[in-house]
């Protein structure tokens, strides 16, 4: 028989609930919840959120995007800045948006995007010197932003506008997660941080609107994401044709710029960190890169097909530090989950981070083991047990783009450099919109060119 009650996580404070614990150390807090049950209620201020700790229930909810929609206070606050793009839009407009944006990520465009990342990563690493200490997260974020800006706008973005966009996005990314966890009244206060956040969002949107209008007027395909969105056409069931308006394109560009740059930067940062702590795995990666690339950066996207161990390293990084570490949904119709009735309007939280650490699927789940993805020797986990970019209709449209470009950057760095940890101190994960290393400094050592 179904019941309306689900267990509540212990340790809630008056008025604040579990919000202080979620802000202070969300990964530890989430990791404590499966012991309470498959569904656990937490309170963020006055709002109740049901956390789903079971992979089958997670799969069920992610596939049912019509009754488990993107909505509620968390998405309302995200939309303040990035608008109603593909990541944040509700179910009733998502299918149209996805059909119109899909051509931007057509496989025929990926080789051009890949060449941009290879050139950017090569230029970055060519500027390093032997023994230099690298502050990894901000450097990888800047690399990702610059590569993504070029892929979004080709050469149509003025240099100063590009620098402004990088500054504005950095401000937004720094503030956005905390704003989603705080009461709306605090976000409306005229604090320095709030004023800076709003100013950055307004300037970014103004600049994008100017660029969109200019490129639409030019009527040329520059091979970039913006050109693909400007030319996209969709035919509805009634035969009518639909295009993306300028305001919709602006929302999509901000969404891709924010989500894509942070995702690529964090994949790269965590991979470099894990390799620096596992020298035997690093040696195997270097041996493969030397054999395939012979001391040069990759030449094209197809080089990734010849680097299977590097691809397994990336996949294992995505398991341990998934870009989408948690997502929220709003139940739009009464739903029964594991004999519990979830009323319409309820807020749901799902966590790939939790699923990726289930020991029945991933033995010794905290261990960094790329060989667990070697299908020749190890049975592979169920598809819905590994969801670093989500699952179902709302799975990230740019997952192949982000992972491929991050892998190309890793191959570029590894062909010339070894990046070593400075100490054995633990690197803490900061859970913002994606998982970011709090501090990660590595020493660059030039590698000898392999013998031909």
């Amino acid at each position: 028989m179904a019941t309306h009650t689900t267990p509540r996580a212990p340790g809630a404070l008056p008025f604040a609930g579990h919000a202080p614990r979620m802000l202070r150390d969300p990964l530890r807090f989430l990791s404590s919840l499966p012991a309470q049950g498959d569904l656990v209620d937490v309170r963020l201020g006055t709002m109740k959120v049901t956390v789903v700790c079971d992979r089958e229930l997670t799969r069920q909810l992610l596939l049912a995007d019509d009754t488990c929609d993107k909505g509620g206070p968390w998405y309302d606050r995200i939309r303040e800045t990035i608008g109603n793009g593909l990541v944040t839009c509700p179910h009733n407009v998502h299918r149209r948006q996805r059909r119109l944006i899909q051509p931007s990520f057509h496989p025929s465009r990926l080789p051009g995007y890949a060449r941009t990342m290879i050139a950017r990563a090569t230029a970055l690493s060519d500027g390093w010197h032997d023994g230099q200490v690298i502050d990894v997260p901000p450097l990888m974020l800047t690399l990702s932003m610059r590569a993504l800006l070029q892929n979004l706008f080709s050469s149509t973005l003025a240099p100063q506008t590009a620098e402004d966009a990088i500054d504005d996005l950095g401000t937004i990314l720094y503030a956005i997660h905390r704003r989603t966890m705080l009461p709306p009244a605090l976000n409306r206060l005229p604090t320095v941080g709030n004023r800076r956040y709003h100013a950055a969002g307004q300037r970014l949107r103004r600049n994008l609107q100017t660029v969109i209008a200019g490129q639409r007027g030019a009527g040329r395909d520059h091979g970039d994401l913006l050109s693909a969105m400007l030319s996209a056409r969709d035919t509805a069931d009634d035969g009518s044709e639909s295009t993306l308006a300028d305001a919709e394109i602006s929302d999509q560009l901000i969404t891709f710029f924010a989500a894509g740059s942070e995702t690529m930067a964090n994949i790269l940062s965590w991979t470099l960190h894990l390799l620096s702590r596992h020298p035997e795995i690093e040696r195997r990666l270097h041996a493969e890169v030397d054999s395939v690339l012979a001391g040069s950066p990759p030449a094209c996207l197809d080089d990734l097909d010849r680097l299977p161990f590097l691809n397994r390293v990336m996949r294992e990084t995505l398991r341990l530090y998934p870009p989408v570490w948690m997502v929220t949904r709003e139940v739009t119709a009464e739903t029964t989950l594991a004999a519990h009735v979830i009323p319409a309007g309820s807020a749901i939280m799902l966590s790939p981070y939790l699923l990726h650490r289930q020991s029945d699927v991933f033995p010794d789940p905290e261990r960094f083991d790329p060989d667990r993805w070697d299908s020749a020797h190890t049975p592979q986990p169920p598809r819905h047990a590994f969801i670093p970019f989500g699952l179902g209709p709302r799975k990230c449209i740019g997952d192949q783009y982000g992972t491929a470009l991050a892998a190309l950057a890793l191959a570029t760095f590894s062909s010339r450099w070894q990046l070593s940890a400075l100490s054995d101190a633990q690197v803490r994960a900061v859970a913002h919109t994606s998982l970011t290393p709090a501090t990660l400094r590595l020493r660059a050592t030039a590698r000898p060119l392999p013998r031909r």
Side-chain angles (χ1 to χ4, degrees):
M1 179 179 296
T3 175
H4 286 272
T5 61
T6 52
R8 179 181 297 182
L13 299 175
F15 305 108
H18 300 96
R21 295 178 66 186
M22 275 293 290
L23 285 170
R24 184 171 59 249
D25 195 345
L27 299 180
R28 177 177 292 182
F29 177 61
L30 284 176
S31 297
S32 72
L33 298 180
Q36 308 298 320
D38 291 340
L39 299 171
V40 184
D41 286 344
V42 304
R43 292 199 172 271
L44 303 176
T46 59
M47 182 176 65
K48 186 185 81 170
V49 180
T50 299
V51 180
V52 181
C53 305
D54 175 78
R55 62 177 175 272
E56 181 55 38
L57 295 179
T58 298
R59 185 191 69 85
Q60 178 182 333
L61 289 167
L62 290 178
L63 292 179
D65 66 320
D66 54 340
T67 57
C68 191
D69 202 359
K70 291 194 174 183
W74 194 86
Y75 278 103
D76 290 344
R77 294 175 204 174
I78 293 289
R79 291 187 187 111
E80 291 174 4
T81 297
I82 69 173
N84 207 30
L86 198 62
V87 170
T88 55
C89 70
H91 166 76
N92 63 343
V93 298
H94 175 261
R95 181 174 297 181
R96 170 185 170 272
Q97 284 198 16
R98 191 161 184 120
R99 285 199 301 258
L100 283 163
I101 294 164
Q102 194 71 55
S104 301
F105 294 94
H106 191 275
S108 64
R109 288 185 175 263
L110 289 181
Y113 302 155
R115 287 191 294 271
T116 297
M117 174 55 91
I118 294 169
R120 290 284 183 180
T122 300
L124 173 65
S125 57
D126 281 351
W128 296 345
H129 60 78
D130 197 31
Q132 179 177 348
V133 174
I134 307 296
D135 190 1
V136 174
L139 200 63
M140 294 303 107
L141 183 59
T142 300
L143 168 66
S144 299
M145 286 179 179
R146 294 190 185 283
L148 190 51
L149 274 178
Q150 189 169 340
N151 285 334
L152 285 171
F153 304 106
S154 185
S155 58
T156 62
L157 206 62
Q160 186 56 55
T161 303
E163 295 304 315
D164 289 345
I166 289 171
D167 290 343
D168 293 337
L169 182 62
T171 299
I172 291 166
L173 291 177
Y174 178 80
I176 198 167
H177 175 70
R178 183 168 291 274
R179 290 177 63 84
T180 62
M181 294 296 174
L182 292 174
L186 295 181
N187 291 330
R188 290 193 291 266
L189 294 176
T191 63
V192 172
N194 284 343
R195 291 200 303 270
R196 186 182 298 121
Y197 172 85
H198 288 298
Q202 291 166 4
R203 184 172 68 166
L204 180 60
R205 193 168 288 277
R206 282 197 308 270
N207 285 336
L208 290 180
Q209 288 169 348
T210 300
V211 174
I212 293 166
Q215 195 156 324
R216 189 184 288 279
R220 293 174 52 200
D221 188 339
H222 297 272
D224 53 27
L225 284 154
L226 176 54
S227 295
M229 282 189 275
L230 286 169
S231 62
R233 301 289 185 273
D234 178 56
T235 303
D237 294 338
D238 61 3
S240 61
E241 190 175 72
S242 175
T243 62
L244 288 167
D246 285 6
E248 291 180 300
I249 292 176
S250 180
D251 285 351
Q252 305 301 343
L253 291 173
I254 294 175
T255 297
F256 295 151
F257 190 27
S261 57
E262 191 174 38
T263 293
M264 283 191 291
N266 288 331
I267 294 172
L268 273 170
S269 296
W270 286 119
T271 305
L272 294 173
H273 161 63
L274 289 166
L275 289 170
S276 74
R277 297 301 179 89
H278 297 83
E280 178 54 36
I281 293 174
E282 182 187 52
R283 280 192 290 271
R284 291 174 60 188
L285 174 65
H286 286 166
E288 179 181 77
V289 168
D290 289 348
S291 173
V292 172
L293 302 179
S296 299
C300 61
L301 181 65
D302 290 343
D303 280 344
L304 290 181
D305 293 336
R306 301 190 293 148
L307 297 167
F309 187 68
L310 182 144
N311 289 319
R312 296 202 298 272
V313 166
M314 299 293 296
R315 195 169 180 84
E316 180 69 346
T317 300
L318 288 169
R319 183 187 69 82
L320 287 169
Y321 299 103
V324 184
W325 65 277
M326 74 91 177
V327 295
T328 61
R329 293 289 190 268
E330 183 177 38
V331 176
T332 59
E334 184 179 283
T335 301
T336 300
L337 294 174
H340 296 283
V341 173
I342 310 298
S346 297
I348 297 285
M349 183 180 293
L350 314 166
S351 176
Y353 180 88
L354 283 183
L355 298 190
H356 292 180
R357 281 167 164 76
Q358 292 185 333
S359 58
D360 62 326
V361 177
F362 301 104
D364 196 4
E366 297 297 329
R367 181 165 57 97
F368 178 55
D369 180 16
D371 287 332
R372 72 171 82 240
W373 300 105
D374 186 351
S375 58
H377 302 100
T378 307
Q380 298 300 284
R383 288 183 60 186
H384 63 280
F386 178 69
I387 53 171
F389 296 97
L391 182 73
R394 303 305 292 258
K395 183 182 180 183
C396 175
I397 196 172
D399 58 340
Q400 293 184 15
Y401 169 93
T403 53
L405 267 61
L408 288 168
L410 176 64
T412 301
F413 300 154
S414 300
S415 68
R416 293 280 308 281
W417 298 94
Q418 179 183 20
L419 296 174
S420 306
L422 301 182
S423 72
D424 293 332
Q426 184 178 3
V427 174
R428 182 173 63 88
V430 178
H432 288 161
T433 48
S434 64
L435 297 177
T436 305
T439 303
L440 178 58
R441 292 164 61 83
L442 301 176
R443 189 180 305 281
T445 302
R447 298 186 58 235
L449 291 175
R451 296 179 180 177
R452 294 183 180 272

